[in-house]
C-alpha cells in the first residue's frame, strides 16, 4: 500500500488523530487524512479536523437510530472520500457488518496495552492502566491490531513495550503510554504505507 488515504475515527479528544494529521502534514507519514468520523458531535477530534480543514462527520445512533442505516451512512461516507485505510483512534463504538466486510483487512486500531492482556469490552483508557497496575505488571505497551467484529481480538499488526515504574500512578503510566501511542501509531502506519507491513 503506497500513499495512504486514511479515515480517522475518534470519539473524544483525538490526540492520536492529531498525531496522524500532523505526521501527514510534515511528510513523516506517506498519506493524507481524507475524512474524520466521530460518534460525538462535541469531540475534540471534530474540532481538530476543522482546524486542519479536513472533512468531518458526526455519524451516530442519534442521527441514525437504526444500526443498519448508520452502518450504511458510514460506509457511503468512506467510499465517497475514497478511503484506503481506516484508523480507529479512541473510537468507542463497534463498526457495522457492511463497513467491516467492505474494509476487511484495512481497519486498524490502537490499544494501550500489550494485547491479548488487558483488552476486550469495557477495557479502554484509564481502566486499562488501572488493571495493569493492579496486576503488578512490570511492562505494558501499545498494540496496533486489525479490527474485526469483537473488541480487541483482531490479529496483532505491531506492538511496542513501555516500562511500568515502581512508583507509577494511573496518571503517570497513562501519560507515558500515550506519548508512545502518538509515535508508534504513526510509525506503524508508515510501515504499512511503505510496504514493510502487509495487512
Amino acid at each position: 500500500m503506497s500513499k495512504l488515504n486514511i479515515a480517522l475515527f475518534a470519539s473524544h479528544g483525538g490526540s492520536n488523530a492529531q498525531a496522524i494529521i500532523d505526521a501527514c502534514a510534515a511528510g513523516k507519514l506517506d498519506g493524507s487524512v481524507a475524512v474524520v468520523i466521530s460518534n460525538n458531535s462535541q469531540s475534540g477530534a471534530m474540532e481538530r479536523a476543522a482546524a486542519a480543514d479536513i472533512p468531518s462527520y458526526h455519524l451516530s445512533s442519534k442521527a441514525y437510530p437504526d444500526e443498519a442505516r448508520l452502518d450504511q451512512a458510514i460506509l457511503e461516507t468512506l467510499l465517497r472520500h475514497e478511503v484506503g485505510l481506516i484508523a480507529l483512534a479512541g473510537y468507542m463504538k463497534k463498526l457495522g457488518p457492511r463497513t467491516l466486510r467492505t474494509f476487511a483487512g484495512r481497519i486498524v486500531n490502537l490499544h494501550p496495552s500489550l494485547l491479548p492482556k488487558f483488552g476486550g469490552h469495557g477495557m479502554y483508557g484509564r481502566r486499562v492502566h488501572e488493571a495493569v497496575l493492579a496486576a503488578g505488571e512490570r511492562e505494558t505497551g501499545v498494540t496496533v491490531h486489525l479490527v474485526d467484529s469483537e473488541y480487541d481480538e483482531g490479529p496483532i499488526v505491531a506492538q511496542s513495550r513501555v516500562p511500568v515504574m515502581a512508583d507509577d500512578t494511573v496518571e503517570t503510566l497513562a501519560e507515558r503510554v500515550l506519548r508512545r501511542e502518538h509515535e508508534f501509531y504513526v510509525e506503524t502506519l508508515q510501515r504499512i504505507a511503505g510496504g514493510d507491513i502487509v495487512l
Side-chain angles (χ1 to χ4, degrees), residues 54-148:
I54 296 169
S56 62
Y57 299 84
H58 168 227
L59 298 173
S60 73
S61 55
K62 285 188 178 180
Y64 297 92
D66 178 70
E67 287 187 7
R69 287 192 61 210
L70 174 59
D71 187 14
Q72 183 64 27
I74 289 173
L75 179 57
E76 287 174 358
T77 302
L78 295 169
L79 295 175
R80 189 164 65 249
H81 288 279
E82 301 180 340
V83 167
L85 183 81
I86 298 171
L88 306 185
Y91 188 64
M92 296 294 121
K93 298 291 183 181
K94 281 187 177 181
L95 294 175
R98 295 192 71 177
T99 300
L100 286 171
R101 188 165 58 249
T102 303
F103 284 87
R106 294 186 292 153
I107 310 171
V108 292
N109 182 46
L110 185 74
H111 185 78
S113 76
L114 294 174
L115 292 175
K117 288 185 173 183
F118 310 109
H121 184 55
M123 290 299 286
Y124 58 87
R126 182 183 182 91
R127 296 179 185 181
V128 175
H129 306 305
E130 287 174 345
V132 167
L133 291 176
E137 297 284 320
R138 292 189 172 185
E139 68 175 7
T140 183
V142 181
T143 301
V144 177
H145 66 94
L146 285 172
V147 172
D148 58 20

Side-chain angles (χ1 to χ4, degrees), residues 28-51:
K28 293 180 181 177
L29 175 51
D30 187 18
S32 61
V33 178
V35 62
V36 172
I37 292 175
S38 181
N39 61 311
N40 175 4
S41 63
Q42 304 300 313
S43 70
M46 298 279 283
E47 294 175 9
R48 294 173 190 273

Side-chain angles (χ1 to χ4, degrees), residues 8-37:
L8 295 176
F9 281 60
S11 295
H12 298 298
S15 67
N16 273 305
Q18 187 69 59
I20 294 168
I21 291 168
D22 291 346
C24 290
K28 293 180 181 177
L29 175 51
D30 187 18
S32 61
V33 178
V35 62
V36 172
I37 292 175

